[in-house]
Amino acid sequence: MKTVKTFAAVLLLTGILSTGSFAQTEKKMELKEHKCTAACTKKKHVYAHGEKGHVCTDACKKMMDKKGGKM
């Protein structure tokens, strides 16, 4: 009986953890189209966090941590 309870707990925990990872994957895929700002030039665009083309750097990650945002 103890084995059955352990197995059920493992299945439940696996389901909970996998649901969270799917939610993160969905959120990462929701990127906005890039909108040029004053920082953009004809030669180079400056992509904001959450826009298509943006690549997070260590500085970006630190800024998001300070704002309480999730990546």
Side-chain angles (χ1 to χ4, degrees), residues 33-57:
E33 290 295 325
H34 172 68
K35 292 185 180 179
C36 289
T37 62
C40 294
T41 65
K42 289 183 180 180
K43 294 182 180 181
K44 185 178 178 183
H45 290 276
V46 179
Y47 299 100
H49 185 82
E51 287 184 338
K52 291 180 182 177
H54 173 75
V55 178
C56 287
T57 61

Side-chain angles (χ1 to χ4, degrees), residues 7-22:
F7 183 70
V10 169
L11 284 177
L12 181 64
L13 186 58
T14 303
I16 291 169
L17 293 176
S18 66
T19 303
S21 65
F22 285 129

Side-chain angles (χ1 to χ4, degrees), residues 49 57-71:
H49 185 82
T57 61
D58 289 338
C60 176
K61 290 175 185 176
K62 287 178 185 176
M63 183 176 67
M64 291 305 295
D65 287 342
K66 286 180 183 178
K67 288 183 176 180
K70 295 185 179 181
M71 306 202 36

